[in-house]
Amino acid sequence: MNSLAGKRIVLGVSGGIAAYKAVEVCRRLMDAGTHVIPVLTNGATRFVGRATFDALASEPVRMSLFDEDDPIPHTTLGQTADCVLVAPATARVIGAYAAGISSDLLTATLIATRAPVVICPAMHTEMWEHPAVADNIATLVKRGVSIVGPESGRLAGGDEGAGRLSSPADIVAEVDRVLDFSGRRLDMGGLSVVVTAGGTREPIDPVRYIGNRSSGKQGYAFAEEAAARGAEVTLVSTVDRPGPLGPTVAPGVTVVRVNTAEEMAVATAEAAKEVDVVIMAAAVADFRPVDPAGVKIKKSDGVPAIQLEPTPDILAGLGASKPEGQILVGFAAETCDVADNAAAKLSGKCADYIVANDVAAENVGFACDTNEVTVLASDGRVRPVGLRSKRQVARAVLDLVMEDRADAREENQ
Ligand code: CTP
């Protein structure tokens, strides 16, 4: 995908140590053929020099709301931009943008634009996790602003934690995606999608449960990707959106919260009745205690013998009663013989696609931010999707589903 060539991008840089990485973002955007207009805050210039951007970008650095050549530079920039990207975005810029306060050229441009906006937060973990920042991010997500990162890792001063600016490659990929969507019809517009997310919890007693390591990140990524492409999404999930957003989800996603496999089975069957696409990304427990204790089991009573029984296989149930034309996507979480086990699930559960996940591999599967999968289609095609963010994995899988759907519709005409 290259939707970048020829586009005008305002690259906002605010004052954080990660500002030096914006130089690489600028260079990559230039290499992709975009017209880059750098807008720096005063704080940014304490971390990176104007001259660097002057030399690299398409236009000289802009900083002031009161430019002698242009009486209203923020409206000119905002109106003519195809995308406004802020990398890094500090807590101050995020707060000002969320509150509609335009105290400098960058925040004024953000408020004066109708172009898509991509915000890449970078700050210390304490700041990123502060409820004020979390609320501001949630506000921006609700308004349809695209948020990239932050990632976890080493921060300034040797600290570790969430708050590190996403990689320049991921930032540029997101700008590309956002421009791609703003430039064409949303390819999932008019479609309804059900996604499941998270691991189910099967109670042993009122305080303990049988669970698994699923975080729900891949399911949320599918839901938000489908919604960003125009679909109306119901997300049946055992967890809130992982990360600081809590219960806030992107526009177009309705969340139905459940706990157990049984609850997920009922909610999913209800939601999936007439939808176009179902994606079973949840890690559903296969067994549950037959008779959960009504009161907390006491240690003094000795080691409990917990009798288990199978839970309903939701995907297999959906596969058996699939309405004509519905597309059913399942997952296979495997730790060995991935290809064979995934193929057996594809046919055994009557799915159209199985997304095979080697959950024993590093940076793949449960709880991490990245994933690497192989998609098996029911007609025997196999499409590997290399290591990338869970959102990008969702995008690649939905690209395949939508390509196949378009081909099938063409054949039927
Ligand atoms: N699944 C389901 N209901 C279950 C178990 C799994 O709907 N009770 C779905 C999952 O959401 C996933 C697919 O089936 O889309 C495969 O799940 P996975 O855990 O990989 O395999 P299982 O079918 O549980 O089989 P096994 O544990 O033996 O690998």
Side-chain angles (χ1 to χ4, degrees):
M1 179 168 31
N2 184 2
S3 309
L4 296 163
K7 297 289 169 24
R8 281 174 71 84
I9 296 184
V10 170
L11 170 61
V13 184
S14 55
I17 182 63
Y20 77 93
K21 290 196 199 161
V23 176
E24 172 71 6
V25 173
C26 179
R27 195 191 57 79
R28 283 177 182 254
L29 289 171
M30 293 297 296
D31 287 350
T34 56
H35 184 96
V36 181
I37 307 148
V39 174
L40 271 59
T41 64
N42 284 329
T45 58
R46 293 184 169 262
F47 297 93
V48 63
R50 279 183 79 143
T52 315
F53 289 99
D54 281 342
L56 280 176
S58 315
E59 293 188 17
V61 165
R62 313 283 285 272
M63 290 187 63
S64 173
L65 268 168
F66 307 101
D67 190 321
E68 279 177 12
D69 299 336
D70 183 350
I72 36 175
H74 60 292
T75 45
T76 311
L77 288 171
Q79 283 166 355
T80 57
D82 292 303
C83 175
V84 179
L85 163 68
V86 186
T90 57
R92 180 188 73 80
V93 167
I94 290 167
Y97 181 32
I101 296 169
S102 55
S103 50
D104 57 17
L105 181 59
L106 178 56
T107 48
T109 303
L110 281 166
I111 292 160
T113 194
R114 294 202 177 144
V117 173
V118 177
I119 296 283
C120 311
M123 62 198 77
H124 255 76
T125 309
E126 291 82 353
M127 296 175 77
W128 172 244
E129 290 178 350
H130 192 284
V133 175
D135 284 354
N136 289 333
I137 289 283
T139 300
L140 296 183
V141 169
K142 271 192 254 166
R143 291 180 193 153
V145 172
S146 174
I147 310 291
V148 184
E151 290 175 5
S152 288
R154 255 184 61 139
L155 302 169
D159 292 342
E160 290 268 334
R164 200 163 77 158
L165 185 71
S166 286
S167 74
D170 283 351
I171 292 170
V172 173
E174 180 61 11
V175 175
D176 191 6
R177 185 192 72 78
V178 161
L179 287 170
D180 183 41
F181 281 130
S182 65
R184 69 183 159 122
R185 198 177 63 78
L186 299 179
D187 69 342
M188 296 186 80
L191 296 187
S192 48
V193 176
V194 169
V195 182
T196 63
T200 65
R201 296 172 172 189
E202 312 302 329
I204 296 170
D205 67 17
V207 297
R208 304 179 179 95
Y209 59 82
I210 296 177
N212 60 65
R213 290 174 45 225
S214 169
S215 61
K217 285 180 182 169
Q218 187 63 76
Y220 270 84
F222 266 105
E224 294 187 349
E225 175 66 14
R229 295 165 81 140
E232 196 181 304
V233 181
T234 303
L235 177 64
V236 181
S237 177
T238 60
V239 287
D240 278 344
R241 189 184 195 282
L245 296 186
T248 307
V249 283
V253 181
T254 305
V255 178
V256 179
R257 281 294 299 271
V258 295
N259 281 307
T260 64
E262 185 64 40
E263 288 169 14
M264 183 173 278
V266 171
T268 307
E270 178 61 31
K273 266 183 198 150
E274 286 175 2
V275 300
D276 301 289
V277 182
V278 181
I279 300 165
M280 281 294 306
V284 188
D286 291 326
F287 308 104
R288 65 185 167 210
V290 173
D291 193 12
V295 292
K296 188 183 172 211
I297 298 169
K298 301 303 286 180
K299 205 162 38 182
S300 52
D301 296 337
V303 179
I306 300 168
Q307 205 195 334
L308 301 176
E309 64 181 357
T311 57
D313 190 318
I314 306 170
L315 179 60
L318 293 170
S321 59
K322 197 159 71 85
E324 171 98 33
Q326 185 177 80
I327 299 168
L328 188 55
V329 183
F331 267 69
E334 309 294 345
T335 55
C336 61
D337 302 329
V338 179
D340 288 349
N341 287 333
K345 283 174 189 170
L346 181 66
S347 54
K349 302 196 189 211
C350 302
D352 298 296
Y353 302 89
I354 284 283
V355 181
N357 228 181
D358 180 352
V359 290
E362 208 176 317
N363 295 326
V364 173
F366 292 137
C368 48
D369 292 323
T370 50
N371 211 352
E372 182 175 6
V373 302
T374 305
V375 189
L376 312 187
S378 55
D379 62 4
R381 279 169 308 138
V382 173
R383 184 177 285 191
V385 179
L387 187 68
R388 59 196 71 180
S389 73
K390 287 190 167 170
R391 180 69 181 254
Q392 287 169 324
V393 167
R395 189 169 308 150
V397 174
L398 290 179
D399 281 349
L400 178 65
V401 168
M402 294 308 291
E403 275 161 35
D404 288 354
R405 188 173 180 274
D407 289 348
R409 290 170 84 84
E410 216 165 83
E411 269 168 33
N412 289 339
Q413 272 170 8

